[in-house]
Amino acid sequence: MSETNDGSNWHQDFIASNLLVIGYNAWAGHLTQLRGAIVCSTNSPTLGVGGESFKTHFVGRSRLGPFLNAWLAAPDTAMRAPSLYDCSHQGSCR
């Protein structure tokens, strides 16, 4: 999917390849907790009949700050700041 072969765009390929799973978990989380973020763990993927699987979690807005603080405090993590989605223009925010 990416135009480079050096692996620098692996995250874009990951999202494109797993859009349905990520989108489903985002929607299910939104229905119960409204705002939040999807967290995908790629540390220990498993390979099965259906392909590669990974853990996906929806972290609600109220727990997002403590989650990110704990995650960033771990010595082996790095983070890129995600773009924040503003749903107010679609009228779906509560």
Side-chain angles (χ1 to χ4, degrees):
M1 292 225 144
S2 65
E3 294 180 19
T4 61
N5 293 327
D6 63 2
S8 63
N9 257 352
W10 71 266
H11 50 284
Q12 294 296 328
D13 290 339
F14 176 82
I15 292 170
S17 298
N18 297 289
L19 189 59
L20 287 176
V21 172
I22 295 169
Y24 171 81
N25 283 285
W27 182 248
H30 170 73
L31 291 177
T32 59
Q33 300 180 51
L34 300 181
R35 290 181 172 248
I38 290 291
V39 177
C40 300
S41 173
T42 57
N43 288 343
S44 56
T46 57
L47 189 59
V49 176
E52 189 177 40
S53 65
F54 54 92
K55 294 181 181 176
T56 304
H57 306 281
F58 184 87
V59 181
R61 185 178 185 181
S62 63
R63 297 182 312 163
L64 193 55
F67 172 83
L68 291 175
N69 287 333
W71 184 58
L72 290 173
D76 62 344
T77 58
M79 182 180 137
R80 290 184 182 212
S83 299
L84 297 177
Y85 175 71
D86 180 15
C87 63
S88 62
H89 67 279
Q90 291 184 343
S92 60
C93 294
R94 293 185 198 177

